[in-house]
Amino acid sequence: LESTLATWLTKIGGVAISPADYAEAELPAHLKLHLALIDERGQALDQGDDLLALKARHAEAAQRAFAAQVDAIYHRDHLSDWPPFDLPRTIRSTGGAEAWPALAAEGEAVNLRSYASAAEADAVHAEGVLALAMQVLGDTLRYWRRNLPLSSAVLVAWAPLGSAEALRADILATVFDERFLKPAASVRSKTDFTALLDAIRRETGKHAAALAREVEDILRLSTELRRLLVPPLIGYGRASYDDARMALDRLVHPDFVRQTPRERLKHFPRYLKALKIRAERLKQDAKRDQQKLLDVLPFEKALERAGTRLAADHPAVVELRWAIEELRVSLFAQELGTAQSVSPKRLAGMVAALG
């Protein structure tokens, strides 16, 4: 305000004036700027002498009020296809408030909503677009589920973990997320949505079949392992067998397809083969296995503590979890090699960094 006033006085008076030539504090009270925020009914909501403070106090409420107004226009429930208009990335009011329209998957429905922040909209839009695509492609999706190349033997191996339908659905959902979630984030028009549907129809079959083959190899190896992880005598190598079964269950569980990053899933056959080699050697020499196990257990305990304190999906916890898998390979089946350099000393450093 001072700078603007100085410029205006200089222009009309012909004399150079700077903001330092006067001070607001020296003005009488009746000459100081006083502001009132008025609603649409003429009622005062707030008042004060500081414009920035007044705006800061009401910016969030104004933003959400504008988003609600936009939501009245960009609002559709239970979409079965793309809405009959394009979705702008953002809508700005004359006063500067913004709203962000986005598709949102809410339960079984896909709805169009407007949000008061880009972060809120971005958090739901890509998944909303994919959910709508899955609805539109319902018959095609069912065809892919029925025809995924999973043998009856593998489905029998999967049975203790879940239904065949659940496994097929997980494989397809993983492919959708891996291949199409990122491009779905930029879909804002019927043309974009049609192009996404075409890409899904063209690419899903081959990628789902490739993932199904990976899953089949993993389940075949895990089934063989479960037979091997039975001690020859009651009590023989109990700690080692308990640990090996824990390691197997942590790798292959009902949600492993959906929860394991694809780049890590590719290492599962090596992890399982390492467990198989360990199981075969364990039957011959339990004492030697237990000595190697002592190198692993401190890190398993550290992982459990870190997962409780920081959350299991914290990046540093995830990094330690996979480093432990590689350490297991290096200790129990060194001939298979590791995907990264690992040693107890290196893992101790990772644990120390966790605090």
Side-chain angles (χ1 to χ4, degrees):
L1 176 62
E2 289 86 351
S3 178
T4 302
L5 183 59
T7 301
W8 181 73
L9 290 174
T10 298
K11 183 177 180 180
I12 65 171
V15 178
I17 296 176
S18 74
D21 291 330
Y22 57 89
E24 181 184 359
E26 298 174 0
L27 293 174
H30 69 279
L31 291 180
K32 292 182 179 179
L33 180 66
H34 188 76
L35 302 165
L37 181 63
I38 308 298
D39 67 13
E40 67 274 10
R41 298 183 299 276
Q43 301 296 315
L45 297 174
D46 199 355
Q47 56 184 324
D49 298 334
D50 188 332
L51 176 60
L52 293 178
L54 195 63
K55 289 176 68 175
R57 288 199 296 272
H58 295 274
E60 184 177 350
Q63 187 78 15
R64 295 200 174 278
F66 179 65
Q69 292 178 8
V70 173
D71 192 58
I73 302 171
Y74 290 92
H75 187 107
R76 295 287 190 281
D77 291 327
H78 300 284
L79 291 172
S80 58
D81 203 345
W82 192 261
F85 43 75
D86 293 350
L87 298 184
R89 170 78 175 105
T90 181
I91 301 170
R92 182 184 294 270
S93 73
T94 54
E98 288 184 277
W100 287 262
L103 297 187
E106 300 172 348
E108 297 295 321
V110 179
N111 303 319
L112 173 59
R113 298 287 184 264
S114 291
Y115 296 87
S117 73
E120 288 179 286
D122 291 344
V124 300
H125 185 66
E127 291 186 0
V129 170
L130 273 189
L132 183 61
M134 292 176 76
Q135 287 191 18
V136 173
L137 295 171
D139 290 341
T140 305
L141 197 62
R142 284 185 284 274
Y143 171 83
W144 285 327
R145 285 180 182 175
R146 287 194 304 269
N147 291 279
L148 279 175
L150 294 170
S151 68
S152 57
V154 165
L155 292 178
V156 169
W158 171 258
L161 300 176
S163 69
E165 180 62 19
L167 177 59
R168 295 176 186 277
D170 282 354
I171 290 172
L172 286 173
T174 298
V175 170
F176 266 54
D177 287 351
E178 178 186 288
R179 306 295 304 182
F180 308 115
L181 189 61
K182 186 175 180 179
S186 61
V187 171
R188 291 277 163 184
S189 68
K190 177 68 173 179
T191 300
D192 293 342
F193 186 63
T194 300
L196 178 66
L197 293 178
D198 289 342
I200 291 172
R201 291 187 184 100
R202 186 172 59 251
E203 299 177 25
T204 297
K206 62 182 179 182
H207 291 296
L211 178 55
R213 287 192 293 271
E214 289 182 37
V215 170
E216 183 155 339
D217 288 343
I218 291 168
L219 291 175
R220 187 178 293 110
L221 284 168
S222 69
T223 300
E224 184 178 356
L225 256 174
R226 292 190 192 281
R227 291 194 293 266
L228 289 173
L229 292 178
V230 178
L233 298 171
I234 295 176
Y236 175 84
R238 180 174 179 178
S240 292
Y241 277 100
D242 287 347
D243 175 77
R245 283 191 293 267
M246 180 280 297
L248 174 57
D249 290 341
R250 187 168 61 187
L251 289 170
V252 183
H253 53 83
D255 299 313
F256 86 93
V257 176
R258 291 290 287 138
Q259 292 182 358
T260 308
R262 187 70 178 278
E263 65 273 12
R264 186 56 60 178
L265 196 67
K266 294 181 182 300
H267 295 286
F268 272 39
R270 180 168 53 87
Y271 296 153
L272 295 173
K273 289 174 184 176
L275 270 173
K276 180 181 178 183
I277 291 172
R278 178 189 179 185
E280 291 168 344
R281 291 172 177 169
L282 173 57
K283 285 191 176 182
Q284 305 301 320
D285 192 343
K287 185 176 180 180
R288 186 176 183 186
D289 185 280
Q290 289 167 358
Q291 289 173 341
K292 294 178 179 180
L293 178 58
L294 291 176
D295 287 334
V296 177
L297 289 180
F299 303 115
E300 290 288 359
K301 293 176 181 177
L303 178 65
E304 183 178 357
R305 290 194 301 270
T308 301
R309 183 167 54 87
L310 299 175
D313 60 352
H314 187 281
V317 177
V318 172
E319 182 183 13
L320 176 60
R321 182 255 194 275
W322 295 118
I324 291 173
E325 294 296 343
E326 296 294 341
L327 180 65
R328 287 176 172 277
V329 174
S330 72
L331 290 173
F332 295 108
Q334 189 176 18
E335 62 268 37
L336 295 181
T338 59
Q340 63 193 70
S341 177
V342 289
S343 67
K345 182 178 179 180
R346 184 180 292 268
L347 266 70
M350 295 173 65
V351 171
L354 285 169

